[in-house]
Amino acid sequence: MTTIKLHNTRTRAKEDFVPISADNVRMYVCGPTVYDRAHLGNARPVVVFDVLYRLLRHVYGSDHVTYVRNFTDVDDKINATALARQKGGAEGTLEQLVQERSDETIGWYLHDMGALGALEPDEMPRATQYIAQMVAMIEDLIAKGHAYAAEGHVLFAVDSWKEHYGALSGRSVDDMIAGARVEVAPYKRNPMDFVLWKPSTDELPGWDSPWGRGRPGWHIECSAMSYELLGESFDIHGGGNDLMFPHHENEIAQSKCAHPHGEFARVWLHNEMLQVEGKKMSKSLGNFFTVHDLLEQGVPGEVIRFVFLQTHYRKPMDWTEKKAREAEATLRKWRALTAGIEPAASAAPAVVAALSDDLNTAGALAELHRLADGDAASLLAGAQLLGLLSQEMGAWADTASVDLSAHADRLSDARASAMQSKDFSEVDRLKAAYLAAGLEVRMSKDGVELVPGTGFDAAKLEGVW
Ligand SMILES: [Zn+2]
């Protein structure tokens, strides 16, 4: 069996991955807060962990991997939208409007991530469905002396776990207090203590609890849901490296204190962040855009995926238009090479080996480039392991439905009559229209050829004549 090597943030080393049970390899990834469309940076962990999910399924069998990714649907921004809608005259209780907003954004999210070729995880729990489990875990943490109630809040007592807290991100509690922007509140015993439960006003969604009507803090949801769905010990926990502290430290503290005999997550994987044209993506820089924006602009989801895969997940990735154009040209070429061909029975060993080396997706793409030189069946099998060249994702590159030879004949005829009449206006008009549709126009004495180039859009050929 293939040995997968993964860089474990917890041990700071690349290790052979050995699952707790090869019959059920378990992975948890922190999912989105569903208050709006996912921006391009949100998509990076989705693609990274989708590749890992596909690799695990390839090695252990698709029935032997359980992938859980949550939806955070308890959030002040979701609530703010729901409240604004209610004040604007929308019908329904606040809870219903909150749910409506979450349903809407979850629908967008699944559509946009699907366009990037991401498989849906086996389980996609929503925080609001696990409130009872969170309350039970918080009660247990209080009973074990790791948490305390104060003024309607429940806080995790960091001092009760002081020697371990910060181990993942490599900080001590004292360093964190010195360096962090911690919320100082009179009811906290230690400024680093974090919220497990907080009170809700009437204008906020809330649930009854032993500490009054309130709602859970963010961190506790992942501990409660991963325990319910994967148990007290599981194999892989993933997320963006912006989640390492405090979110993942807090998840570890909660889970290890609630289930001291469990290991929680054995291997921690963190992806680096995404930039745009060399700059941090931000609304103030005007380079902020969503996956939906790109899809609307006609950038195919497959192209976005390809660009992502060119950079190793532990390196910052730079989204550029140039990369997107080059990716599109490569994919168009590969799709033409593999049209009508059956994929090889299994992915080429070199592709699997690259992926198994801590998800070296750039190395796997380099292998695909080699296979494109003469082995289309292996190219297709390898690309499909990476989630590329699937049938579902190919509509953008589909030129089979367009009869380009008819257009070439038309241009050829126009040229022939222009030779007689010396009026080349129709030839120029057709050439301009074909170029605008993304076709390369090759005219020689032997004839006319139209070749789909970067950005080819068959729809633009409608009405040319
Ligand atoms: Zn989480």
Side-chain angles (χ1 to χ4, degrees), residues 63-86:
D63 294 337
H64 301 288
V65 183
T66 306
Y67 174 19
V68 179
R69 187 184 64 212
N70 65 308
F71 284 118
T72 299
D73 58 353
V74 180
D75 177 73
D76 290 349
K77 287 184 199 132
I78 303 171
N79 189 64
T81 305
L83 199 59
R85 286 180 176 181
Q86 192 177 51

PDB file of all heavy atoms in Angstrom, residues 63-86:
ATOM      1  N   ASP A  63     -14.922   3.850   0.496  1.00  0.00           N
ATOM      2  CA  ASP A  63     -15.835   3.558   1.615  1.00  0.00           C
ATOM      3  C   ASP A  63     -15.118   3.579   2.964  1.00  0.00           C
ATOM      4  O   ASP A  63     -15.716   3.300   3.994  1.00  0.00           O
ATOM      5  CB  ASP A  63     -16.480   2.175   1.435  1.00  0.00           C
ATOM      6  CG  ASP A  63     -17.395   2.146   0.232  1.00  0.00           C
ATOM      7  OD1 ASP A  63     -17.860   3.243  -0.179  1.00  0.00           O
ATOM      8  OD2 ASP A  63     -17.631   1.050  -0.306  1.00  0.00           O
ATOM      9  N   HIS A  64     -13.830   3.886   2.942  1.00  0.00           N
ATOM     10  CA  HIS A  64     -13.056   3.779   4.186  1.00  0.00           C
ATOM     11  C   HIS A  64     -12.480   5.117   4.649  1.00  0.00           C
ATOM     12  O   HIS A  64     -11.478   5.145   5.362  1.00  0.00           O
ATOM     13  CB  HIS A  64     -11.946   2.739   4.014  1.00  0.00           C
ATOM     14  CG  HIS A  64     -12.481   1.380   3.667  1.00  0.00           C
ATOM     15  ND1 HIS A  64     -13.153   0.601   4.584  1.00  0.00           N
ATOM     16  CD2 HIS A  64     -12.503   0.701   2.495  1.00  0.00           C
ATOM     17  CE1 HIS A  64     -13.537  -0.515   3.986  1.00  0.00           C
ATOM     18  NE2 HIS A  64     -13.167  -0.487   2.721  1.00  0.00           N
ATOM     19  N   VAL A  65     -13.103   6.181   4.206  1.00  0.00           N
ATOM     20  CA  VAL A  65     -12.664   7.518   4.618  1.00  0.00           C
ATOM     21  C   VAL A  65     -13.896   8.303   5.042  1.00  0.00           C
ATOM     22  O   VAL A  65     -14.912   8.274   4.350  1.00  0.00           O
ATOM     23  CB  VAL A  65     -11.958   8.265   3.451  1.00  0.00           C
ATOM     24  CG1 VAL A  65     -11.442   9.625   3.927  1.00  0.00           C
ATOM     25  CG2 VAL A  65     -10.810   7.434   2.880  1.00  0.00           C
ATOM     26  N   THR A  66     -13.809   8.964   6.181  1.00  0.00           N
ATOM     27  CA  THR A  66     -14.900   9.836   6.623  1.00  0.00           C
ATOM     28  C   THR A  66     -14.367  11.248   6.757  1.00  0.00           C
ATOM     29  O   THR A  66     -13.432  11.502   7.514  1.00  0.00           O
ATOM     30  CB  THR A  66     -15.467   9.383   7.993  1.00  0.00           C
ATOM     31  OG1 THR A  66     -15.841   8.013   7.892  1.00  0.00           O
ATOM     32  CG2 THR A  66     -16.697  10.220   8.371  1.00  0.00           C
ATOM     33  N   TYR A  67     -14.960  12.132   5.982  1.00  0.00           N
ATOM     34  CA  TYR A  67     -14.524  13.533   5.940  1.00  0.00           C
ATOM     35  C   TYR A  67     -15.665  14.389   6.486  1.00  0.00           C
ATOM     36  O   TYR A  67     -16.777  14.346   5.964  1.00  0.00           O
ATOM     37  CB  TYR A  67     -14.175  13.879   4.497  1.00  0.00           C
ATOM     38  CG  TYR A  67     -13.835  15.327   4.180  1.00  0.00           C
ATOM     39  CD1 TYR A  67     -13.454  16.241   5.163  1.00  0.00           C
ATOM     40  CD2 TYR A  67     -13.874  15.767   2.859  1.00  0.00           C
ATOM     41  CE1 TYR A  67     -13.132  17.558   4.836  1.00  0.00           C
ATOM     42  CE2 TYR A  67     -13.549  17.084   2.522  1.00  0.00           C
ATOM     43  CZ  TYR A  67     -13.185  17.968   3.513  1.00  0.00           C
ATOM     44  OH  TYR A  67     -12.884  19.254   3.173  1.00  0.00           O
ATOM     45  N   VAL A  68     -15.378  15.133   7.541  1.00  0.00           N
ATOM     46  CA  VAL A  68     -16.380  16.002   8.166  1.00  0.00           C
ATOM     47  C   VAL A  68     -15.930  17.461   8.015  1.00  0.00           C
ATOM     48  O   VAL A  68     -14.779  17.782   8.321  1.00  0.00           O
ATOM     49  CB  VAL A  68     -16.534  15.685   9.676  1.00  0.00           C
ATOM     50  CG1 VAL A  68     -17.557  16.624  10.324  1.00  0.00           C
ATOM     51  CG2 VAL A  68     -16.939  14.229   9.882  1.00  0.00           C
ATOM     52  N   ARG A  69     -16.802  18.282   7.535  1.00  0.00           N
ATOM     53  CA  ARG A  69     -16.521  19.732   7.491  1.00  0.00           C
ATOM     54  C   ARG A  69     -17.781  20.471   7.950  1.00  0.00           C
ATOM     55  O   ARG A  69     -18.868  20.230   7.439  1.00  0.00           O
ATOM     56  CB  ARG A  69     -16.159  20.163   6.063  1.00  0.00           C
ATOM     57  CG  ARG A  69     -15.679  21.630   5.988  1.00  0.00           C
ATOM     58  CD  ARG A  69     -15.419  22.048   4.546  1.00  0.00           C
ATOM     59  NE  ARG A  69     -16.628  22.031   3.773  1.00  0.00           N
ATOM     60  CZ  ARG A  69     -16.696  21.745   2.460  1.00  0.00           C
ATOM     61  NH1 ARG A  69     -15.615  21.452   1.788  1.00  0.00           N
ATOM     62  NH2 ARG A  69     -17.856  21.754   1.836  1.00  0.00           N
ATOM     63  N   ASN A  70     -17.598  21.328   8.943  1.00  0.00           N
ATOM     64  CA  ASN A  70     -18.770  21.956   9.575  1.00  0.00           C
ATOM     65  C   ASN A  70     -19.190  23.254   8.893  1.00  0.00           C
ATOM     66  O   ASN A  70     -18.439  23.850   8.119  1.00  0.00           O
ATOM     67  CB  ASN A  70     -18.463  22.243  11.043  1.00  0.00           C
ATOM     68  CG  ASN A  70     -17.357  23.269  11.191  1.00  0.00           C
ATOM     69  OD1 ASN A  70     -16.287  23.136  10.625  1.00  0.00           O
ATOM     70  ND2 ASN A  70     -17.633  24.324  11.948  1.00  0.00           N
ATOM     71  N   PHE A  71     -20.388  23.669   9.198  1.00  0.00           N
ATOM     72  CA  PHE A  71     -20.865  25.014   8.848  1.00  0.00           C
ATOM     73  C   PHE A  71     -21.115  25.766  10.148  1.00  0.00           C
ATOM     74  O   PHE A  71     -21.887  25.301  10.987  1.00  0.00           O
ATOM     75  CB  PHE A  71     -22.183  24.946   8.069  1.00  0.00           C
ATOM     76  CG  PHE A  71     -22.025  24.522   6.637  1.00  0.00           C
ATOM     77  CD1 PHE A  71     -22.621  23.352   6.171  1.00  0.00           C
ATOM     78  CD2 PHE A  71     -21.288  25.293   5.746  1.00  0.00           C
ATOM     79  CE1 PHE A  71     -22.489  22.969   4.846  1.00  0.00           C
ATOM     80  CE2 PHE A  71     -21.152  24.915   4.417  1.00  0.00           C
ATOM     81  CZ  PHE A  71     -21.752  23.748   3.965  1.00  0.00           C
ATOM     82  N   THR A  72     -20.448  26.904  10.307  1.00  0.00           N
ATOM     83  CA  THR A  72     -20.705  27.747  11.469  1.00  0.00           C
ATOM     84  C   THR A  72     -21.895  28.642  11.151  1.00  0.00           C
ATOM     85  O   THR A  72     -21.784  29.570  10.357  1.00  0.00           O
ATOM     86  CB  THR A  72     -19.465  28.596  11.800  1.00  0.00           C
ATOM     87  OG1 THR A  72     -18.388  27.710  12.108  1.00  0.00           O
ATOM     88  CG2 THR A  72     -19.722  29.513  12.994  1.00  0.00           C
ATOM     89  N   ASP A  73     -23.037  28.309  11.743  1.00  0.00           N
ATOM     90  CA  ASP A  73     -24.232  29.116  11.463  1.00  0.00           C
ATOM     91  C   ASP A  73     -24.740  29.828  12.719  1.00  0.00           C
ATOM     92  O   ASP A  73     -25.889  30.258  12.773  1.00  0.00           O
ATOM     93  CB  ASP A  73     -25.332  28.263  10.796  1.00  0.00           C
ATOM     94  CG  ASP A  73     -25.740  27.069  11.627  1.00  0.00           C
ATOM     95  OD1 ASP A  73     -25.086  26.805  12.658  1.00  0.00           O
ATOM     96  OD2 ASP A  73     -26.719  26.388  11.264  1.00  0.00           O
ATOM     97  N   VAL A  74     -23.868  29.918  13.727  1.00  0.00           N
ATOM     98  CA  VAL A  74     -24.150  30.802  14.866  1.00  0.00           C
ATOM     99  C   VAL A  74     -23.123  31.918  14.752  1.00  0.00           C
ATOM    100  O   VAL A  74     -21.931  31.699  14.959  1.00  0.00           O
ATOM    101  CB  VAL A  74     -23.951  30.073  16.217  1.00  0.00           C
ATOM    102  CG1 VAL A  74     -24.245  31.024  17.375  1.00  0.00           C
ATOM    103  CG2 VAL A  74     -24.830  28.840  16.290  1.00  0.00           C
ATOM    104  N   ASP A  75     -23.556  33.090  14.356  1.00  0.00           N
ATOM    105  CA  ASP A  75     -22.581  34.153  14.081  1.00  0.00           C
ATOM    106  C   ASP A  75     -23.285  35.498  14.057  1.00  0.00           C
ATOM    107  O   ASP A  75     -24.406  35.619  13.570  1.00  0.00           O
ATOM    108  CB  ASP A  75     -21.924  33.889  12.714  1.00  0.00           C
ATOM    109  CG  ASP A  75     -20.958  35.000  12.321  1.00  0.00           C
ATOM    110  OD1 ASP A  75     -19.875  35.064  12.910  1.00  0.00           O
ATOM    111  OD2 ASP A  75     -21.317  35.818  11.463  1.00  0.00           O
ATOM    112  N   ASP A  76     -22.606  36.512  14.567  1.00  0.00           N
ATOM    113  CA  ASP A  76     -23.227  37.839  14.658  1.00  0.00           C
ATOM    114  C   ASP A  76     -23.551  38.443  13.298  1.00  0.00           C
ATOM    115  O   ASP A  76     -24.518  39.179  13.159  1.00  0.00           O
ATOM    116  CB  ASP A  76     -22.316  38.788  15.450  1.00  0.00           C
ATOM    117  CG  ASP A  76     -22.272  38.402  16.931  1.00  0.00           C
ATOM    118  OD1 ASP A  76     -23.096  37.561  17.345  1.00  0.00           O
ATOM    119  OD2 ASP A  76     -21.410  38.928  17.667  1.00  0.00           O
ATOM    120  N   LYS A  77     -22.734  38.118  12.267  1.00  0.00           N
ATOM    121  CA  LYS A  77     -23.008  38.724  10.943  1.00  0.00           C
ATOM    122  C   LYS A  77     -24.245  38.097  10.286  1.00  0.00           C
ATOM    123  O   LYS A  77     -24.986  38.783   9.584  1.00  0.00           O
ATOM    124  CB  LYS A  77     -21.797  38.548  10.027  1.00  0.00           C
ATOM    125  CG  LYS A  77     -20.642  39.452  10.391  1.00  0.00           C
ATOM    126  CD  LYS A  77     -19.504  39.304   9.386  1.00  0.00           C
ATOM    127  CE  LYS A  77     -18.215  39.818   9.946  1.00  0.00           C
ATOM    128  NZ  LYS A  77     -17.093  38.899   9.761  1.00  0.00           N
ATOM    129  N   ILE A  78     -24.435  36.787  10.491  1.00  0.00           N
ATOM    130  CA  ILE A  78     -25.656  36.145   9.971  1.00  0.00           C
ATOM    131  C   ILE A  78     -26.851  36.786  10.658  1.00  0.00           C
ATOM    132  O   ILE A  78     -27.858  37.133  10.037  1.00  0.00           O
ATOM    133  CB  ILE A  78     -25.668  34.623  10.267  1.00  0.00           C
ATOM    134  CG1 ILE A  78     -24.426  33.947   9.694  1.00  0.00           C
ATOM    135  CG2 ILE A  78     -26.942  33.973   9.725  1.00  0.00           C
ATOM    136  CD1 ILE A  78     -24.270  32.497  10.125  1.00  0.00           C
ATOM    137  N   ASN A  79     -26.682  36.944  11.959  1.00  0.00           N
ATOM    138  CA  ASN A  79     -27.758  37.532  12.748  1.00  0.00           C
ATOM    139  C   ASN A  79     -28.072  38.960  12.304  1.00  0.00           C
ATOM    140  O   ASN A  79     -29.240  39.343  12.190  1.00  0.00           O
ATOM    141  CB  ASN A  79     -27.360  37.512  14.212  1.00  0.00           C
ATOM    142  CG  ASN A  79     -28.517  37.901  15.079  1.00  0.00           C
ATOM    143  OD1 ASN A  79     -29.510  37.197  15.114  1.00  0.00           O
ATOM    144  ND2 ASN A  79     -28.421  39.040  15.718  1.00  0.00           N
ATOM    145  N   ALA A  80     -27.021  39.729  12.014  1.00  0.00           N
ATOM    146  CA  ALA A  80     -27.227  41.124  11.610  1.00  0.00           C
ATOM    147  C   ALA A  80     -28.036  41.197  10.311  1.00  0.00           C
ATOM    148  O   ALA A  80     -28.941  42.025  10.171  1.00  0.00           O
ATOM    149  CB  ALA A  80     -25.873  41.809  11.434  1.00  0.00           C
ATOM    150  N   THR A  81     -27.729  40.298   9.360  1.00  0.00           N
ATOM    151  CA  THR A  81     -28.488  40.278   8.095  1.00  0.00           C
ATOM    152  C   THR A  81     -29.946  39.924   8.356  1.00  0.00           C
ATOM    153  O   THR A  81     -30.862  40.553   7.812  1.00  0.00           O
ATOM    154  CB  THR A  81     -27.875  39.241   7.121  1.00  0.00           C
ATOM    155  OG1 THR A  81     -26.494  39.551   6.951  1.00  0.00           O
ATOM    156  CG2 THR A  81     -28.576  39.271   5.777  1.00  0.00           C
ATOM    157  N   ALA A  82     -30.156  38.904   9.208  1.00  0.00           N
ATOM    158  CA  ALA A  82     -31.520  38.473   9.515  1.00  0.00           C
ATOM    159  C   ALA A  82     -32.303  39.599  10.188  1.00  0.00           C
ATOM    160  O   ALA A  82     -33.467  39.865   9.851  1.00  0.00           O
ATOM    161  CB  ALA A  82     -31.482  37.237  10.412  1.00  0.00           C
ATOM    162  N   LEU A  83     -31.641  40.286  11.101  1.00  0.00           N
ATOM    163  CA  LEU A  83     -32.293  41.375  11.827  1.00  0.00           C
ATOM    164  C   LEU A  83     -32.643  42.526  10.878  1.00  0.00           C
ATOM    165  O   LEU A  83     -33.743  43.094  10.932  1.00  0.00           O
ATOM    166  CB  LEU A  83     -31.356  41.870  12.933  1.00  0.00           C
ATOM    167  CG  LEU A  83     -31.985  42.669  14.074  1.00  0.00           C
ATOM    168  CD1 LEU A  83     -33.046  41.851  14.783  1.00  0.00           C
ATOM    169  CD2 LEU A  83     -30.892  43.089  15.072  1.00  0.00           C
ATOM    170  N   ALA A  84     -31.711  42.837   9.972  1.00  0.00           N
ATOM    171  CA  ALA A  84     -31.957  43.909   8.991  1.00  0.00           C
ATOM    172  C   ALA A  84     -33.141  43.540   8.106  1.00  0.00           C
ATOM    173  O   ALA A  84     -33.977  44.376   7.778  1.00  0.00           O
ATOM    174  CB  ALA A  84     -30.706  44.141   8.147  1.00  0.00           C
ATOM    175  N   ARG A  85     -33.221  42.261   7.720  1.00  0.00           N
ATOM    176  CA  ARG A  85     -34.339  41.817   6.880  1.00  0.00           C
ATOM    177  C   ARG A  85     -35.658  41.921   7.639  1.00  0.00           C
ATOM    178  O   ARG A  85     -36.676  42.298   7.077  1.00  0.00           O
ATOM    179  CB  ARG A  85     -34.113  40.379   6.413  1.00  0.00           C
ATOM    180  CG  ARG A  85     -33.064  40.293   5.336  1.00  0.00           C
ATOM    181  CD  ARG A  85     -32.839  38.858   4.885  1.00  0.00           C
ATOM    182  NE  ARG A  85     -31.889  38.819   3.774  1.00  0.00           N
ATOM    183  CZ  ARG A  85     -31.509  37.694   3.166  1.00  0.00           C
ATOM    184  NH1 ARG A  85     -31.995  36.529   3.554  1.00  0.00           N
ATOM    185  NH2 ARG A  85     -30.654  37.733   2.174  1.00  0.00           N
ATOM    186  N   GLN A  86     -35.600  41.573   8.937  1.00  0.00           N
ATOM    187  CA  GLN A  86     -36.828  41.641   9.739  1.00  0.00           C
ATOM    188  C   GLN A  86     -37.291  43.101   9.866  1.00  0.00           C
ATOM    189  O   GLN A  86     -38.460  43.402   9.701  1.00  0.00           O
ATOM    190  CB  GLN A  86     -36.592  41.042  11.127  1.00  0.00           C
ATOM    191  CG  GLN A  86     -37.878  40.813  11.896  1.00  0.00           C
ATOM    192  CD  GLN A  86     -37.617  40.141  13.237  1.00  0.00           C
ATOM    193  OE1 GLN A  86     -36.779  40.590  14.016  1.00  0.00           O
ATOM    194  NE2 GLN A  86     -38.325  39.051  13.494  1.00  0.00           N
TER     195      GLN A  86
END
